[in-house]
Amino acid sequence: MNTESIPSPKNRNWGAVIKSYLTPKMLGMMSLGFASGLPYMLIYSELAYWMKKEGVDLTIIGFFAWIGLAYTLKVFWAPIVDRFQIPILTKSFGQRRSWMLLAIIGTIIGMLIIASSDPGTNVTRLAVGAVVLATSGATLDISIDAWRIEAAPVDEQTNMAASYVLGYRLAIIGAGLSYIVAGMTNWNIAYLFMAIVMAVNGCIVFFIKEPSRAVRQKA
């Protein structure tokens, strides 16, 4: 390897590096990373804590862990997300953004169902909300991954991935705020608050650009 062509940290233009992450595309990728990480945290961390606090049997809490398998099994419906066109939405937003929008709406609905549930008296309703949230979150991951690959050339993929991870990490911090909200009010309000956060952040879909069909077909 010719190490002379690799700029040393001293010679690197850090201003240009930082500026590259402040482009609309990278900021959009960061926002999508946040949208991807928030549902995952609300299923795997906060929900179990809430149920345990409400005295739900550990066996039932363990069952809820299986709901998270949606993220593992998403490969089975990824071809549908890749090929199937959603009536009206796909024509208006394109293949990738339409699925993002639908998935984000699904995550919001899932959070609202959970927010209106009582783990102590109606675990079934809570399970329905968790299934909707997990399935929609996994579907959102699929559409975001596809958008990331198609929206930027190969030499920008590293930056795109870094922006995604940063957004995902911010989602972990954001999900942690639910503990504060729950402490000040209750977990129903906390999930309602997270649904509002998801809705506001999800508006990024209206501002990012849909990759061209030619690029998608070439990929």
Side-chain angles (χ1 to χ4, degrees):
M1 178 182 294
N2 183 11
T3 56
E4 294 181 358
S5 61
I6 302 176
S8 66
K10 292 183 179 180
N11 297 328
R12 192 171 298 165
N13 188 340
W14 289 106
V17 172
I18 295 175
K19 187 177 180 180
S20 68
Y21 282 99
L22 297 179
T23 62
K25 186 188 300 181
M26 295 300 168
L27 292 176
M29 187 75 262
M30 189 186 305
S31 181
L32 291 175
F34 184 93
S36 181
L38 193 60
Y40 186 88
M41 293 303 300
L42 292 177
I43 293 171
Y44 277 101
S45 179
E46 280 76 352
L47 193 59
Y49 178 84
W50 182 18
M51 288 190 292
K52 185 177 181 180
K53 188 176 180 180
E54 293 295 325
V56 177
D57 188 87
L58 291 177
T59 303
I60 297 177
I61 296 177
F63 168 78
F64 270 73
W66 288 93
I67 296 176
L69 280 176
Y71 284 90
T72 303
L73 301 176
K74 63 185 179 181
V75 63
F76 291 106
W77 69 86
I80 297 177
V81 177
D82 185 54
R83 302 292 181 181
F84 182 77
Q85 296 187 356
I86 305 172
I88 301 177
L89 285 181
T90 299
K91 185 176 181 180
S92 300
F93 296 97
Q95 184 72 14
R96 304 311 178 198
R97 293 197 303 153
S98 62
W99 275 101
M100 285 185 203
L101 185 59
L102 181 65
I104 289 173
I105 292 174
T107 61
I108 294 171
I109 292 174
M111 292 178 196
L112 291 177
I113 294 174
I114 294 174
S116 62
S117 303
D118 183 355
T121 60
N122 193 347
V123 179
T124 301
R125 183 181 182 87
L126 193 70
V128 171
V131 169
V132 173
L133 180 57
T135 304
S136 300
T139 302
L140 181 59
D141 282 3
I142 297 170
S143 57
I144 289 176
D145 284 342
W147 182 86
R148 174 181 58 80
I149 294 171
E150 297 174 355
V154 175
D155 59 351
E156 290 183 3
Q157 286 300 319
T158 301
N159 289 0
M160 292 285 276
S163 297
Y164 174 87
V165 172
L166 178 57
Y168 201 98
R169 296 299 181 185
L170 290 175
I172 295 177
I173 298 175
L177 291 176
S178 62
Y179 288 96
I180 299 176
V181 177
M184 296 174 61
T185 54
N186 56 55
W187 277 101
N188 300 91
I189 299 298
Y191 269 85
L192 176 61
F193 175 74
M194 289 294 107
I196 295 173
V197 171
M198 189 69 176
V200 173
N201 183 75
C203 290
I204 189 63
V205 176
F206 297 100
F207 298 97
I208 60 175
K209 295 182 179 180
E210 174 73 10
S212 67
R213 184 175 180 85
V215 172
R216 181 163 62 250
Q217 289 178 339
K218 183 178 180 180

